[in-house]
Amino acid sequence: MNPKRCAACKYLRRRCPKDCIFAPYFPPNDPAKFACIHRIYGAGNVSKMLQQLPDQTRAEAVESLCFEAKCRVDDPVYGCVGIIHLLQTQIQNAQNELAKTQAEVAVAQTKVGQTQNSDQFM
Amino acid sequence: MNPKRCAACKYLRRRCPKDCIFAPYFPPNDPAKFACIHRIYGAGNVSKMLQQLPDQTRAEAVESLCFEAKCRVDDPVYGCVGIIHLLQTQIQNAQNELAKTQAEVAVAQTKVGQTQNSDQFM
């Protein structure tokens, strides 16, 4: 066994070829990363997706796939769509808070205006 | 050919069994839904994920998987992680706007206070 096989080839119990599509993104010291992505997408699908991408975008694609796979393992019903819902709620809350605060500004500015006007007529 | 086969069995060119795990979620009139999920996860992985879930959560799991698959087809590098980044930026912007507006409230309230104080001493 070659101890320098990448985590994917180690997991798949196969020889790690020189031009292994997984090797640059799955170093042997992080076996969990490949296990997670393999469990959700399957090695074949991940390899196919990477092959369809230009080299310089593959690292980012692997990171986003790993993130989604981890979310799906953690939350098998909603996956990372659960995070999207949570963020949408946070945006809604922030926007409500903003509208409330903008109304407070309008009230305070009206008060300032009224006080200044009444000063002019004193 | 049975015209009532679900979209998944039609796609996989197989007989649709009575207890087909896909049939409740992939009606024959929406073939694109299964095609998309199959392209990203593979039928076997989806079937495995659904089998591990209680019946009442499977419909929501299928919807979130379809959403993620569609995002990945539309954006092969970032998938729905791209949406998460976008939402995080929106939250940051809303929070910045909120902080700015809260500062405006504080300034306006200080002005009201000062005007009221100066009125008392006139």
Side-chain angles (χ1 to χ4, degrees):
Chain A
M1 291 285 200
N2 171 7
K4 284 177 184 165
R5 285 186 305 166
C6 75
C9 291
K10 227 175 195 170
Y11 188 96
L12 300 169
R13 294 165 183 269
R14 63 174 204 181
R15 194 178 55 81
C16 190
K18 258 193 172 172
D19 59 348
C20 175
I21 195 159
F22 297 122
Y25 319 110
F26 297 98
N29 59 353
D30 187 359
K33 190 178 177 189
F34 185 78
C36 189
I37 214 170
H38 177 67
R39 184 168 153 193
I40 300 301
Y41 297 97
N45 283 323
V46 175
S47 156
K48 213 165 33 182
M49 287 192 253
L50 292 181
Q51 272 162 1
Q52 287 164 358
L53 289 173
D55 261 24
Q56 70 274 18
T57 62
R58 289 182 186 175
E60 298 235 44
V62 165
E63 288 318 306
S64 70
L65 285 166
C66 283
F67 180 82
E68 286 184 41
K70 203 184 163 310
C71 287
R72 181 65 55 180
V73 168
D74 291 345
D75 180 351
V77 177
Y78 295 104
C80 78
V81 177
I83 297 182
I84 291 180
H85 288 163
L86 197 78
L87 291 176
Q88 282 173 333
T89 309
Q90 275 183 29
I91 289 178
Q92 197 52 56
N93 291 345
Q95 282 173 340
N96 292 347
E97 190 68 20
L98 181 59
K100 218 179 85 190
T101 311
Q102 281 170 337
E104 282 173 22
V105 172
V107 169
Q109 281 172 343
T110 310
K111 271 191 199 163
V112 171
Q114 283 170 347
T115 320
Q116 283 169 344
N117 281 342
S118 64
D119 286 355
Q120 287 174 357
F121 294 108
M122 272 177 84
Chain B
M1 288 286 200
N2 171 8
K4 285 177 184 162
R5 285 185 306 168
C6 75
C9 291
K10 229 175 194 168
Y11 188 97
L12 300 170
R13 296 167 180 267
R14 63 173 206 182
R15 196 179 55 80
C16 189
K18 259 193 170 172
D19 59 348
C20 173
I21 197 160
F22 298 121
Y25 319 111
F26 298 98
N29 60 354
D30 188 359
K33 190 178 175 189
F34 186 77
C36 189
I37 214 171
H38 176 66
R39 184 169 153 193
I40 300 301
Y41 297 98
N45 283 324
V46 175
S47 158
K48 214 166 34 183
M49 286 193 251
L50 293 180
Q51 273 162 0
Q52 287 166 356
L53 289 173
D55 260 22
Q56 69 274 16
T57 62
R58 289 181 188 177
E60 299 235 43
V62 165
E63 289 316 307
S64 71
L65 285 167
C66 283
F67 180 82
E68 285 183 43
K70 203 184 162 311
C71 288
R72 182 63 57 181
V73 168
D74 293 344
D75 181 351
V77 177
Y78 295 104
C80 77
V81 177
I83 297 183
I84 292 181
H85 289 163
L86 196 77
L87 292 175
Q88 282 173 333
T89 308
Q90 275 184 29
I91 290 180
Q92 198 52 55
N93 289 346
Q95 283 172 341
N96 291 348
E97 191 68 19
L98 182 59
K100 217 179 86 189
T101 312
Q102 281 170 338
E104 280 173 23
V105 172
V107 169
Q109 281 172 344
T110 309
K111 273 190 195 165
V112 172
Q114 282 170 346
T115 319
Q116 284 169 346
N117 281 342
S118 63
D119 287 354
Q120 286 173 359
F121 294 107
M122 273 176 85

